Amino acid sequence: MITKEVFELQIRETLLPALRRWSLCQKVSLSDDKAVVTAVVKHLSLPYYTLEIQVEYSNIYQEPQLIFKVWKVQVEQDIEVKQVYFPPDLSRLLNLQDFVIRLDYLHNLNRDLWYSVHGCDTNSIVGSQLEHYLERWASIYLTIFDPEFSRVFID
Amino acid sequence: MAETYMKFVTPCQSFIDTSFFQELARLKLDVLKLDSSTKELTSYIDTRQIPKGSACAHLFLSDQSFDSTIYNEVGVPIRGFLYNYNTIGQFKEIDKTAFLHQRALEAFQRGRENPNSCVEFSVISFADLKTYKFFYWVCVPCFQTESLHLTNLASGPLQNWNKFNDWFENHPGIWSCLSNDSGELLEFSRDHTANCTSLVIRDTSKIEMVPSAFTKNFVSLLKDFRPELEKVRLVLARAEEKSSFWIDVKLASKMGSLSSSLKVTGWERNSQNKLTPRATDLSSLIDPLQIADQSLDLNLKLMKWRVAPEIDLDVIKKTKVLLLGAGTLGCYVARVLLAWGVREITFVDNGTVSYSNPVRQPLFTFESCGKPKAAAAAESLRQVFPLVHARGVELRVPMIGHPVTIEEKEHQDFETLVELVRTHDVVFLLMDSRETRWLPTVLGCAENKVVINAALGFDSYLVMRHGMYNTLDEYRLGCYFCQDVVAPSDSLTDRTLDQMCTVTRPGVALMAASQSVELLISVLQHPDRNTNDASAQTFLGDLPHQIRGFLNEFKTLQLRSPSFEHCSACSSSVVEQFKSKGWEFVVNALNNYKYIEDLCGLTDVQAQAEQAISEVFDEWEEELDDAVLL
């Protein structure tokens, strides 16, 4: 578990710089209250798909909460149309591993639907040491989108 | 180093958050309507947050972009303009080249006044609010005067990065500055160009040694301010020291070209690197219930765009409506109320859906047969529109002239009815007998509610609003019973089936139901609501007291009638007695309708009528006798 204060500190000092170094990341921003990171990420191999990723603090689990949407682009009558995509089999699009991913997150701002990565086992997966907590968390959870994500902490 | 023509990187890449489109949809529907004039936008470009996978900084647009008062400490502010078109045809047909050129010309002119203003963006858009699809195209005008040719003479990494970075840190909203021959940094302005040796630009590019196309804007302005300048050092300051650099540029002017004629780029390329518009389809993103909610509002709000801008939709949306009767009239009335955006509808009925009902009563199907009518109608209404607060209450409205048999149950029904009338704003009387309408009429007066009455004949109908009750002797409009000289009584016992059922041409109920709701809508639009002025008008037109329709002649009449001081339902003697005695009064009326006639004075009226008739007959007889004698 991680406290909200440490989470917000490590967002600025660790996660944001790491996302900026990620070659798939097209855009990254921090919310006005400095508590939510949003990133737009290219799909590893499929050019018509992008992923919108948000990391925020879960007050219930006292862990980082990872949610995401899949956007699909197609051209209709010379206009590039982007729309949210709910693939019939998410595992064919992402490296899901054993993560519990559900289409159950209703965003509190826009009231739109996001996939959420369940955070109940985070403590046992990430460990309890607060130092480098978000670095360890990101190295594990963001492999859903890029199996080699942890290289951003090495390169 | 050999001389080369300069290359530039797209200055920024737009990212439009879904909240931008949601706010655009709201503005379009509620504020802009058909207004397609230019709207100002605000955004920020954060040169410190450029990820590795991106070639340039981001232009991020969200719902906050519509509010220029919101200050974002991250990034350099950039002004933008929204051109939202009313049709997809207008959006597609706009001459994109001319549009971009015009925007560039305007940016150039503004830059001549203040060079910081030469950086701006525009968005053309069309919001298809029915499909929740938003068409748009972002342009960031980058211009270079036709006469100017930029040649790269030499370049290299920036040595004294801290000096420039500190200046920009201290001037967070400024895009460029000038360095004079003594090395001093000054804000870029026409006056400061005289001694300048370097043009320093906050660079949004991330490509090694290639500046963003914004550079062209600043260099063009510099050349415009100092036409004799032939060479300048450009300092491209980036967030990171190691990628910041300088370029010595030769500013060659082609003779004879107009200095204000511009070469322009700026339309954003799509993900396939093509110059085409984009669209974001949010239909699958939004909660279907929210779409239903907004879609219902959409059709209504469109009235405000052109046809009826004064209409107050909120008052309709917030009105709580009680429907007494969930039969043919009740079902149709509920559907029209729903279409008008009423969100709280309660049905009261004590019957069950019979096999003859579904074909005439549109909230029921074959599967509804046998179910309680009120609950089935409410459930059906929720299936039509899940966000409606529809409730069904199984209740027998106590009827005047129908003696009390199980007092505890009937008392409970009475209390429930009183509570229902109290907690709603409008009561519709849609039952199939006169005596059922009596108590709700009294209650409507006692609680000062708007009462709308619809009643059917075989090929005729009556729709009326009851006059607003007051104890003063002021003129007021009558109620359903004001024309009668007898109180209503049991009309159901010992009647044949055709006398008890509503035998009516099927279209009559639909006409009466829709007119009764439209009458309510007009009532709600009047500043006094249910005014006692029978010739009142609203911007929707007349606000009649009664509408009588005759299908045999396909004719509709507007009628008005004043309240009757001896009315069995709305006279002050009845209403005040009800207020004072409550259930005890009701029991008396149920057990004997003559009690009401005595109370309101109808017994005397009848006696006087009898007396008058008797006198007339006496006169006739006398005249007859005289005639015989003659």
Side-chain angles (χ1 to χ4, degrees), chain B residues 358-413:
Chain B
V359 292
R360 283 173 179 246
Q361 301 179 4
L363 291 178
F364 305 131
T365 63
F366 184 75
E367 280 73 29
S368 316
C369 294
K371 294 178 181 172
K373 273 187 141 175
E379 174 57 28
S380 178
L381 211 57
R382 283 193 294 272
Q383 283 176 10
V384 175
F385 182 62
L387 294 176
V388 69
H389 295 285
R391 191 156 66 102
V393 179
E394 202 174 347
L395 180 146
R396 183 177 176 275
V397 175
M399 291 184 279
I400 184 169
H402 290 245
V404 174
T405 50
I406 310 167
E407 181 160 358
E408 190 183 349
K409 166 78 170 65
E410 290 183 47
H411 188 189
Q412 182 58 49
D413 282 347

Side-chain angles (χ1 to χ4, degrees), chain A residues 20-21 23 25-27 32 34 48 69 76 78-84 86 110-113, chain B residues 15 18 22 49 51-53 58 60 64 73 133 270-272 276-281 284-285 287:
Chain A
R20 282 203 290 271
R21 291 194 297 273
S23 61
C25 184
Q26 294 179 302
K27 178 233 158 195
D32 290 344
K34 318 285 183 208
Y48 293 107
K69 279 194 297 218
E76 295 172 8
D78 280 342
I79 293 178
E80 188 178 89
V81 180
K82 191 172 99 163
Q83 68 181 136
V84 172
F86 301 104
N110 297 337
R111 287 199 65 212
D112 53 354
L113 200 57
Chain B
F15 279 92
T18 51
Q22 285 165 340
Q49 302 277 357
K52 192 176 178 181
H58 300 131
F60 184 63
Q64 295 186 353
E73 62 187 28
K133 209 174 194 178
N270 70 14
S271 62
Q272 276 87 51
T276 63
R278 294 178 175 195
T280 297
D281 180 351
S284 60
L285 180 66
D287 179 359

Side-chain angles (χ1 to χ4, degrees), chain B residues 43-56:
Chain B
S43 184
Y44 293 83
I45 293 184
D46 186 0
T47 55
R48 288 170 300 179
Q49 302 277 357
I50 308 173
K52 192 176 178 181
S54 187
C56 57

Side-chain angles (χ1 to χ4, degrees), chain B residues 292-456:
Chain B
D293 193 21
Q294 290 171 356
S295 300
L296 196 161
D297 284 348
L298 169 71
N299 277 328
L300 293 168
K301 286 179 178 176
L302 291 181
M303 292 180 187
K304 290 178 80 82
W305 283 23
R306 204 188 316 245
V307 184
E310 311 97 319
I311 197 162
D312 184 349
L313 294 170
D314 279 346
V315 73
I316 300 170
K317 194 172 180 176
K318 289 173 184 164
T319 299
K320 298 172 184 172
V321 178
L322 179 65
L323 303 183
L324 299 181
T328 312
L329 280 170
C331 289
Y332 280 126
V333 165
R335 288 299 304 249
V336 188
L337 288 171
L338 203 59
W340 265 109
V342 174
R343 299 297 169 91
E344 189 151 339
I345 299 171
T346 303
F347 294 92
V348 171
D349 205 296
N350 71 327
T352 52
V353 181
S354 71
Y355 284 99
S356 65
N357 290 156
V359 292
R360 283 173 179 246
Q361 301 179 4
L363 291 178
F364 305 131
T365 63
F366 184 75
E367 280 73 29
S368 316
C369 294
K371 294 178 181 172
K373 273 187 141 175
E379 174 57 28
S380 178
L381 211 57
R382 283 193 294 272
Q383 283 176 10
V384 175
F385 182 62
L387 294 176
V388 69
H389 295 285
R391 191 156 66 102
V393 179
E394 202 174 347
L395 180 146
R396 183 177 176 275
V397 175
M399 291 184 279
I400 184 169
H402 290 245
V404 174
T405 50
I406 310 167
E407 181 160 358
E408 190 183 349
K409 166 78 170 65
E410 290 183 47
H411 188 189
Q412 182 58 49
D413 282 347
F414 165 74
E415 294 294 346
T416 306
L417 183 64
V418 171
E419 190 57 27
L420 284 170
V421 171
R422 272 188 191 143
T423 52
H424 289 76
D425 306 305
V426 176
V427 182
F428 274 82
L429 306 186
L430 310 168
M431 305 88 124
D432 51 9
S433 71
R434 291 178 66 78
E435 58 263 40
T436 339
R437 296 165 192 257
W438 175 79
L439 180 57
T441 300
V442 179
L443 270 169
C445 289
E447 299 292 338
N448 267 316
K449 301 294 179 179
V450 175
V451 177
I452 305 285
N453 197 336
L456 307 178

Side-chain angles (χ1 to χ4, degrees), chain B residues 578-594:
Chain B
F578 168 75
K579 284 184 183 174
S580 120
K581 303 271 184 182
W583 174 240
E584 183 189 335
F585 160 87
V586 174
V587 170
N588 289 335
L590 302 191
N591 287 334
N592 182 7
Y593 71 94
K594 290 284 183 191

